[in-house]
Amino acid sequence: MKQFQGRVICPGTCEAQALVSHGGFNTLASYQMALMFHDKQVKCGDQNNPDLYNKVLSGRALCLPQTIGSTTGGLVIHTAAAMGAAPAALLF
């Protein structure tokens, strides 16, 4: 098992399946279609991210080197959380 260590923003504990992306994570592209259709289980819609494309993001620990995009990323994650479809954790 690999362990990650970093600066904690929101403390807590989490146990979830990890999804690892070696490229940047475009939050809007990844969640847009699922949020438009109110899907409870989000599959990554970003075709430019071969590590995550078409994989379930809901309830997973996303291990990401960086995000791509603007401040809409936070709003997208907030909306996914309100719908019960957020990732379990975001590790950068």
Side-chain angles (χ1 to χ4, degrees):
M1 176 192 306
K2 289 190 178 188
Q3 291 186 339
F4 293 87
Q5 184 174 353
R7 181 174 56 106
V8 176
I9 304 292
C10 296
T13 59
C14 174
E15 188 171 318
Q17 179 182 344
L19 285 179
V20 178
S21 176
H22 295 92
F25 181 71
N26 186 325
T27 310
L28 183 58
S30 296
Y31 279 88
Q32 182 177 9
M33 293 303 287
L35 296 181
M36 284 175 44
F37 295 106
H38 304 284
D39 295 341
K40 289 293 181 187
Q41 185 178 35
V42 174
K43 287 189 177 180
C44 181
D46 185 3
Q47 297 178 18
N48 295 317
N49 190 326
D51 295 324
L52 300 180
Y53 179 64
N54 217 23
K55 292 186 179 171
V56 175
L57 303 177
S58 304
R60 305 298 198 266
L62 303 181
C63 304
L64 313 167
Q66 63 184 8
T67 60
I68 297 172
S70 66
T71 56
T72 59
L75 179 60
V76 169
I77 296 294
H78 177 75
T79 302
M83 293 173 54
L90 297 169
L91 306 172
F92 295 95

